[in-house]
């Protein structure tokens, strides 16, 4: 019976998969910051304790989560959920499942991610976006190791290991009353901080080489190389989008390159650290802003671009409507007149 139940869960997980399997990636870099991350992965892999991975967007938090799962020896699957990409009313069912008839449209029982991740790892990306009701239910699942499906009464045990990630300071969020303090403690048993790319610029040559190999396979072209001038230009940019920005930039350059050599003119860097500017000195660095300031400015820019259309804004930002409303209230953003 247990074997059949486990098999049915695996089938359900495959059927519900909404994204193609992502290529496995390793941590790339020899900087002291990345060596520290590698040590933390090794230490946390041998434990079943909950892990909280923090860092800016694009630093590779999901890569770390997958590596923890791969080295943990767990036999179950790695199941990922983006908490900011699903509307709050649907996220509860996505995480905990629902019974037939629990709500309009619930025509059959559905297993949630906690059940599908049995014997494996459940990765909660953007966990800082959870609504208060879901925070309470997640806390109970972590503390009691059991939960109820939506519309159900049966307590279901779970042994899924939870790895969460966020680009927010959850302690500050708790102090501001936007996140449960007790949930912070339950999530932050083991803490891994992913450093932004600007803190490990010495890793850019290795990163660029590895990324270009993967890019070449995707676009079916020979593996391109960077000229010394191109590499120097990459190392003088401040990379607000981190590794994701670097990969997108190299992909664009590789697609437009007519030869297997990427020259500086193919690197369309966004404003930040000008490519032709001299290397910054300790006394000549630009003023750095907090993550909240950067996020507030970006959300406002997208709102202005869409003319205040919240649906299109959510599509561009990759977040749910309630998450957008919370950001508008939090930062006091203004909707442009329509």
């Amino acid at each position: 019976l247990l074997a059949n139940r486990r098999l049915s869960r695996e089938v359900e997980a495959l059927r519900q998969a909404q994204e193609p399997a992502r290529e496995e990636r390793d941590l790339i870099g020899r900087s002291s910051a990345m060596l520290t991350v590698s040590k933390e992965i090794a230490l946390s892999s041998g434990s079943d304790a909950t892990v909280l991975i923090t860092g800016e967007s694009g630093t590779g938090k999901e890569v770390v989560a997958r590596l923890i799962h791969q080295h943990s020896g767990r036999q179950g699957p790695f199941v990922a959920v983006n908490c900011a990409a699903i509307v709050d009313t649907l996220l509860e069912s996505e995480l905990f499942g629902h019974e037939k008839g629990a709500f309009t449209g619930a025509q059959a029982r559905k297993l949630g991610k906690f059940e599908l991740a049995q014997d494996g790892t459940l990765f909660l990306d953007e966990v800082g976006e959870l609504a208060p009701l879901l925070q309470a239910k997640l806390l109970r699942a972590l503390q009691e190791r059991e939960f109820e499906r939506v519309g159900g009464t049966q307590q279901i045990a779970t042994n899924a290991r939870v790895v969460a990630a966020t680009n927010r300071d959850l302690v500050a969020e708790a102090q501001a009353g936007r996140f449960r303090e007790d949930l912070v403690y339950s999530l932050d048993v083991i803490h891994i901080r992913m450093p932004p790319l600007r803190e490990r610029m010495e890793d850019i040559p290795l990163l660029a080489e590895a990324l270009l190999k993967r890019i070449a396979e995707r676009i079916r072209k020979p593996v391109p190389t960077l000229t010394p001038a191109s590499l120097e230009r990459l190392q003088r940019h401040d990379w607000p989008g981190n590794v994701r920005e670097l990969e997108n930039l190299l992909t664009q350059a590789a697609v437009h390159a007519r030869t297997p050599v990427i020259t500086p003119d193919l690197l369309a860097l966004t404003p930040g650290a000008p490519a032709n500017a001299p290397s910054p000195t300790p006394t000549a660095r630009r003023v750095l802003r907090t993550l909240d300031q950067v996020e507030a400015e970006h959300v406002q820019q997208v709102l202005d671009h869409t003319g205040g259309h919240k649906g299109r804004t959510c599509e561009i930002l990759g977040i749910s409507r309630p998450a957008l409303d919370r950001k508008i209230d939090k930062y006091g953003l203004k909707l442009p007149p329509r």
Side-chain angles (χ1 to χ4, degrees):
L1 179 62
L2 290 174
N4 288 336
R5 187 177 182 185
R6 186 178 300 111
L7 179 61
S8 68
R9 283 174 177 152
E10 293 176 359
V11 172
E12 184 75 10
L14 291 173
R15 188 170 60 192
Q16 291 190 11
Q18 298 179 355
E19 295 181 356
R22 299 185 181 183
E23 56 188 293
E24 299 299 338
R25 299 187 179 185
D26 294 324
L27 287 182
I28 301 171
R30 299 173 184 170
S31 61
S32 59
M34 293 308 291
L35 290 177
T36 299
V37 172
S38 297
K39 291 177 182 178
E40 292 294 336
I41 291 173
L43 290 172
S44 61
S45 296
S47 165
D48 286 336
T50 306
V51 180
L52 179 64
I53 308 170
T54 60
E56 298 176 8
S57 296
T59 51
K61 296 187 288 295
E62 184 169 346
V63 174
V64 172
R66 289 180 179 274
L67 287 173
I68 291 173
H69 173 71
Q70 290 172 20
H71 296 292
S72 68
R74 285 183 157 258
Q75 300 302 310
F78 178 91
V79 179
V81 181
N82 188 331
C83 299
I86 304 174
V87 179
D88 293 339
T89 52
L90 298 179
L91 185 55
E92 182 179 8
S93 172
E94 194 72 16
L95 289 175
F96 304 107
H98 64 252
E99 297 289 353
K100 179 180 179 180
F103 49 83
T104 303
Q107 300 178 356
R109 170 186 288 179
K110 175 185 175 181
L111 302 185
K113 301 302 186 186
F114 264 98
E115 286 184 83
L116 297 177
Q118 286 282 31
D119 301 321
T121 301
L122 176 61
F123 176 56
L124 301 177
D125 197 10
E126 302 293 349
V127 72
E129 300 293 339
L130 284 178
L133 177 63
L134 287 177
Q135 291 178 29
K137 196 160 184 177
L138 174 60
L139 177 63
R140 174 174 175 78
L142 291 175
Q143 291 181 338
E144 306 299 331
R145 308 303 300 171
E146 61 182 20
F147 60 93
E148 294 178 3
R149 299 190 189 102
V150 177
T153 57
Q154 178 186 359
Q155 295 295 323
I156 302 171
T158 177
N159 68 351
R161 184 191 190 175
V162 173
V163 177
T166 181
N167 58 9
R168 294 185 176 277
D169 183 344
L170 293 187
V171 174
E173 292 290 299
Q175 292 173 347
R178 292 186 291 267
F179 204 84
R180 294 182 64 108
E181 187 175 8
D182 46 5
L183 180 55
V184 175
Y185 297 141
S186 295
L187 291 172
D188 198 1
V189 179
I190 299 177
H191 193 127
I192 299 178
R193 175 185 176 270
M194 286 299 294
L197 187 53
R198 61 180 174 274
E199 291 183 8
R200 56 184 191 104
M201 300 294 272
E202 62 268 37
D203 289 335
I204 285 183
L206 286 174
L207 273 169
E209 181 181 359
L211 289 172
L212 285 172
K213 289 180 180 178
R214 287 203 290 262
I215 292 167
E217 292 179 1
R218 290 202 301 264
I219 65 176
R220 299 178 182 179
K221 293 179 68 172
V223 179
T225 58
L226 292 164
T227 65
S230 297
L231 188 58
E232 181 183 359
R233 186 170 187 178
L234 294 179
Q235 291 179 303
R236 284 187 313 191
H237 186 58
D238 62 354
W239 300 110
N242 295 293
V243 179
R244 185 179 296 126
E245 181 186 359
L246 175 61
E247 182 172 7
N248 291 340
L249 176 71
L250 292 176
T251 300
Q252 183 183 36
V255 169
H256 288 91
R258 296 188 177 183
T259 67
V261 178
I262 295 178
T263 52
D265 59 292
L266 293 172
L267 301 174
L269 291 171
T270 55
N276 57 357
S279 299
T281 62
T283 58
R285 295 186 185 274
R286 72 189 187 106
V287 177
L288 298 179
R289 297 175 295 167
T290 66
L291 186 59
D292 279 353
Q293 290 173 328
V294 174
E295 182 178 59
E297 180 181 343
H298 181 61
V299 175
Q300 185 65 65
Q301 288 177 347
V302 177
L303 283 169
D304 293 341
H305 173 73
T306 62
H309 191 289
K310 291 187 177 181
R312 291 173 55 197
T313 300
C314 289
E315 292 178 2
I316 294 174
L317 295 175
I319 61 176
S320 64
R321 179 69 170 268
L324 175 62
D325 290 336
R326 288 196 294 270
K327 294 181 189 299
I328 292 175
D329 293 339
K330 176 182 177 182
Y331 300 124
L333 303 180
K334 296 181 180 180
L335 295 177
R338 300 181 63 180

